[in-house]
């Protein structure tokens, strides 16, 4: 078995990388960053609901990485559904060949949810719908990919879950968001303890110039001075390339 704690692999090897929420914002920035560090004949799966946006990204990525012969697949699905998760795993199964050296799964897809006081949420269906995308989906998808690509000698396994400072800190009127982020953090901490061959990172990317930040500004009139997505994406890539964080760690953009 390869040592998941080895440091300084300066590429992501020949791998299969799956990025959810890849059609815009931070997921899109990550896709471009990842494509630069994958070795030739690697596979990149872009997962999101918007097929046209994914197709546009695919064309740009393949043009920019022509020499690498990067295989890019668009998976236009709704990850809140079992069918969406199953389809993502099915596409990955087509490409998960024995020669692959690295499985990298980046669970980026998430939503803001209603910003409202605790007593507002009397409808379990509303809560369950939110948790379906933000908690159930990354669990089911990660489990499916783990079954698809079991541990073997020479295979590096990395899982990133996009987190937030509010996974650790309660904020009034943000019960859905805080609950989901805390659940995601604990869920992948369990994975790190359970699967010793999997390197797990919960990454809090900081406030970024995304649709979610615009929605937060509109709803709260609070400006968090968001940064360009590529700045935070570059820091996450450095963490993955250096590979010297402890599995299960929760790292914030401002602390690394």
């Amino acid at each position: 078995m390869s040592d998941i704690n080895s440091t300084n692999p300066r590429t992501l090897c020949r791998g299969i990388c799956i990025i959810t929420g890849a059609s815009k914002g931070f997921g899109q920035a990550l896709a471009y960053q990842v494509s630069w560090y994958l070795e030739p004949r690697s596979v990149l799966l872009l997962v999101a609901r918007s097929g046209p946006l994914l197709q546009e990204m695919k064309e740009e990525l393949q043009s920019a990485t022509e020499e690498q012969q990067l295989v890019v697949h668009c998976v236009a699905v709704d990850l809140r559904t079992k069918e969406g998760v199953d389809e993502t795993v099915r596409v990955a199964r087509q490409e998960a060949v024995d020669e692959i050296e690295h499985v990298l799964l980046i669970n980026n897809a998430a939503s803001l949810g209603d910003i409202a006081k605790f007593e507002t949420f009397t409808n379990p269906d509303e809560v369950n719908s939110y948790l379906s995308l933000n908690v159930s989906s990354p669990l089911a998808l990660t489990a499916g990919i783990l079954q698809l690509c079991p541990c073997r000698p020479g295979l590096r396994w990395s899982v990133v879950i996009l987190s937030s400072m509010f996974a650790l800190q309660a904020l009034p009127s943000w019960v859905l968001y805080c609950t989901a982020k805390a659940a995601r953090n604990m869920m992948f901490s369990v994975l790190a303890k359970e699967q010793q061959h999997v390197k797990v990172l919960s990454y809090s990317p900081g406030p970024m110039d995304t649709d979610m930040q615009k929605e937060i500004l509109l709803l709260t009139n609070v400006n968090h001075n968001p940064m360009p997505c590529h700045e935070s994406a570059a820091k996450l890539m450095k963490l993955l390339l250096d590979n010297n964080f402890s599995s299960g760690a929760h790292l914030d953009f401002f602390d690394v």
Side-chain angles (χ1 to χ4, degrees), residues 53-112:
L53 287 177
L54 290 179
Q55 185 61 38
E56 183 178 333
M57 282 183 63
K58 174 181 177 177
E59 293 170 1
E60 292 179 2
L61 284 167
Q62 287 185 323
S63 175
T65 60
E66 188 173 354
E67 292 183 2
Q68 292 169 257
Q69 299 178 315
L70 187 65
V71 178
V72 183
H73 287 294
C74 301
V75 188
V77 295
D78 185 347
L79 287 173
R80 291 173 298 182
T81 68
K82 180 179 185 299
E83 292 76 15
V85 172
D86 288 349
E87 175 63 11
T88 304
V89 174
R90 185 194 69 79
V91 176
R93 181 178 291 111
Q94 294 176 340
E95 302 294 345
V97 297
D98 291 340
E99 292 82 5
I100 282 178
E101 301 167 328
H102 189 187
V103 178
L104 172 58
L105 172 57
I106 302 178
N107 289 290
N108 169 65
S111 60
L112 178 63

